[in-house]
Amino acid sequence: MIDEVHLRHLTVDEALLKLDKYLHDAFVAGLHQVRVVHGKGTGTLRRVVRERLAEHSLVKSYRLGGYGEGGAGVTIVELI
């Protein structure tokens, strides 16, 4: 399984559906850390993704990507 999901250019509803399915599949596949690529843009996708991650039962923690990880266009997620 790939350790990242791309949400750029999707609507908020499409992105959240894809994110939920991806997090479930990543957990089942035994991944401990994944990258969520939401892009920089207006920040709307980043905001809604982080809101969803904050309440998601499979998410242990999350942070903005650092240098060499995609910066503000990526969120790094640690799964339970």
Side-chain angles (χ1 to χ4, degrees):
M1 165 155 223
I2 299 172
D3 66 348
E4 70 180 27
V5 62
H6 293 262
L7 305 178
R8 292 176 56 221
H9 308 298
L10 298 177
T11 67
V12 167
D13 290 338
E14 292 169 336
L16 292 178
L17 284 172
K18 188 171 181 177
L19 176 64
D20 286 339
K21 181 179 181 338
Y22 175 76
L23 291 173
H24 177 267
D25 292 348
F27 175 77
V28 169
L31 297 179
H32 299 287
Q33 181 174 291
V34 296
R35 289 168 31 106
V36 178
V37 181
H38 41 66
K40 295 178 183 176
T42 64
T44 301
L45 271 183
R46 178 177 55 238
R47 180 180 51 79
V48 297
V49 162
R50 293 172 71 82
E51 288 171 0
R52 179 62 56 95
L53 294 175
E55 65 187 24
H56 203 287
S57 63
L58 298 176
V59 175
K60 183 176 182 180
S61 65
Y62 60 93
R63 63 177 173 80
L64 207 53
Y67 179 77
E69 293 179 314
V74 171
T75 297
I76 308 297
V77 181
E78 185 180 351
L79 300 175
I80 59 170

